[in-house]
Amino acid sequence: MNQKTYHIPSISCGNCVRHVEKAAKAVPGVTAVSVDLPTKKLSVEGAFEESALRAQLAEDGYPIDP
Ligand SMILES: [Cu+2]
């Protein structure tokens, strides 16, 4: 179990937040997700592969800041 926070520069509105939450929740091992719109931060909890999270979000148009 771990919790990590990522910066996603392309988050700009509530629709982006919903898309990012849905994409992150689809990653195997992810148990909880939250997105903060003002700071464009994604927080993810669970036993997930970071590479899988990055790949999923990039595929959905919201790449994580390196
Ligand atoms: Cu948006």
PDB file of all heavy atoms in Angstrom, residues 10-17 19 62, ligand 1:
ATOM      1  N   SER A  10      -2.371  19.312 -17.523  1.00  0.00           N
ATOM      2  CA  SER A  10      -3.487  19.496 -18.458  1.00  0.00           C
ATOM      3  C   SER A  10      -4.859  19.488 -17.785  1.00  0.00           C
ATOM      4  O   SER A  10      -5.868  19.666 -18.450  1.00  0.00           O
ATOM      5  CB  SER A  10      -3.425  18.444 -19.565  1.00  0.00           C
ATOM      6  OG  SER A  10      -3.358  17.150 -19.021  1.00  0.00           O
ATOM      7  N   ILE A  11      -4.912  19.302 -16.458  1.00  0.00           N
ATOM      8  CA  ILE A  11      -6.197  19.410 -15.750  1.00  0.00           C
ATOM      9  C   ILE A  11      -6.604  20.885 -15.701  1.00  0.00           C
ATOM     10  O   ILE A  11      -5.859  21.714 -15.189  1.00  0.00           O
ATOM     11  CB  ILE A  11      -6.085  18.873 -14.303  1.00  0.00           C
ATOM     12  CG1 ILE A  11      -5.866  17.360 -14.307  1.00  0.00           C
ATOM     13  CG2 ILE A  11      -7.352  19.209 -13.514  1.00  0.00           C
ATOM     14  CD1 ILE A  11      -5.622  16.781 -12.917  1.00  0.00           C
ATOM     15  N   SER A  12      -7.797  21.197 -16.249  1.00  0.00           N
ATOM     16  CA  SER A  12      -8.203  22.598 -16.260  1.00  0.00           C
ATOM     17  C   SER A  12      -9.650  22.846 -15.853  1.00  0.00           C
ATOM     18  O   SER A  12     -10.047  24.002 -15.714  1.00  0.00           O
ATOM     19  CB  SER A  12      -7.954  23.210 -17.642  1.00  0.00           C
ATOM     20  OG  SER A  12      -8.712  22.518 -18.612  1.00  0.00           O
ATOM     21  N   CYS A  13     -10.452  21.793 -15.686  1.00  0.00           N
ATOM     22  CA  CYS A  13     -11.846  22.007 -15.287  1.00  0.00           C
ATOM     23  C   CYS A  13     -12.408  20.742 -14.644  1.00  0.00           C
ATOM     24  O   CYS A  13     -11.719  19.724 -14.552  1.00  0.00           O
ATOM     25  CB  CYS A  13     -12.688  22.419 -16.495  1.00  0.00           C
ATOM     26  SG  CYS A  13     -12.981  21.080 -17.663  1.00  0.00           S
ATOM     27  N   GLY A  14     -13.675  20.820 -14.244  1.00  0.00           N
ATOM     28  CA  GLY A  14     -14.306  19.697 -13.577  1.00  0.00           C
ATOM     29  C   GLY A  14     -14.398  18.448 -14.441  1.00  0.00           C
ATOM     30  O   GLY A  14     -14.335  17.334 -13.936  1.00  0.00           O
ATOM     31  N   ASN A  15     -14.542  18.649 -15.759  1.00  0.00           N
ATOM     32  CA  ASN A  15     -14.562  17.489 -16.644  1.00  0.00           C
ATOM     33  C   ASN A  15     -13.225  16.769 -16.637  1.00  0.00           C
ATOM     34  O   ASN A  15     -13.168  15.536 -16.639  1.00  0.00           O
ATOM     35  CB  ASN A  15     -14.903  17.902 -18.079  1.00  0.00           C
ATOM     36  CG  ASN A  15     -16.396  18.037 -18.283  1.00  0.00           C
ATOM     37  OD1 ASN A  15     -17.177  17.308 -17.673  1.00  0.00           O
ATOM     38  ND2 ASN A  15     -16.792  18.970 -19.128  1.00  0.00           N
ATOM     39  N   CYS A  16     -12.146  17.533 -16.654  1.00  0.00           N
ATOM     40  CA  CYS A  16     -10.807  16.941 -16.586  1.00  0.00           C
ATOM     41  C   CYS A  16     -10.677  16.123 -15.293  1.00  0.00           C
ATOM     42  O   CYS A  16     -10.135  15.019 -15.303  1.00  0.00           O
ATOM     43  CB  CYS A  16      -9.733  18.015 -16.579  1.00  0.00           C
ATOM     44  SG  CYS A  16      -9.678  19.025 -18.052  1.00  0.00           S
ATOM     45  N   VAL A  17     -11.159  16.696 -14.196  1.00  0.00           N
ATOM     46  CA  VAL A  17     -11.061  16.016 -12.907  1.00  0.00           C
ATOM     47  C   VAL A  17     -11.759  14.660 -12.977  1.00  0.00           C
ATOM     48  O   VAL A  17     -11.212  13.642 -12.558  1.00  0.00           O
ATOM     49  CB  VAL A  17     -11.672  16.883 -11.778  1.00  0.00           C
ATOM     50  CG1 VAL A  17     -11.803  16.078 -10.484  1.00  0.00           C
ATOM     51  CG2 VAL A  17     -10.827  18.135 -11.559  1.00  0.00           C
ATOM     52  N   HIS A  19     -12.436  12.860 -15.669  1.00  0.00           N
ATOM     53  CA  HIS A  19     -11.705  11.960 -16.564  1.00  0.00           C
ATOM     54  C   HIS A  19     -10.484  11.362 -15.879  1.00  0.00           C
ATOM     55  O   HIS A  19     -10.201  10.174 -16.007  1.00  0.00           O
ATOM     56  CB  HIS A  19     -11.264  12.713 -17.831  1.00  0.00           C
ATOM     57  CG  HIS A  19     -12.345  12.852 -18.847  1.00  0.00           C
ATOM     58  ND1 HIS A  19     -12.747  14.070 -19.364  1.00  0.00           N
ATOM     59  CD2 HIS A  19     -13.132  11.924 -19.442  1.00  0.00           C
ATOM     60  CE1 HIS A  19     -13.738  13.875 -20.221  1.00  0.00           C
ATOM     61  NE2 HIS A  19     -13.990  12.592 -20.292  1.00  0.00           N
ATOM     62  N   TYR A  62      -4.086  12.913 -20.342  1.00  0.00           N
ATOM     63  CA  TYR A  62      -3.679  13.682 -19.159  1.00  0.00           C
ATOM     64  C   TYR A  62      -2.338  13.190 -18.625  1.00  0.00           C
ATOM     65  O   TYR A  62      -2.272  12.618 -17.524  1.00  0.00           O
ATOM     66  CB  TYR A  62      -4.758  13.593 -18.069  1.00  0.00           C
ATOM     67  CG  TYR A  62      -6.057  14.204 -18.497  1.00  0.00           C
ATOM     68  CD1 TYR A  62      -7.092  13.418 -18.986  1.00  0.00           C
ATOM     69  CD2 TYR A  62      -6.233  15.577 -18.442  1.00  0.00           C
ATOM     70  CE1 TYR A  62      -8.282  13.986 -19.406  1.00  0.00           C
ATOM     71  CE2 TYR A  62      -7.425  16.161 -18.851  1.00  0.00           C
ATOM     72  CZ  TYR A  62      -8.441  15.354 -19.337  1.00  0.00           C
ATOM     73  OH  TYR A  62      -9.614  15.929 -19.754  1.00  0.00           O
TER      74      TYR A  62
HETATM   75 CU    CU B   1     -11.282  20.158 -18.447  1.00  0.00          CU
END
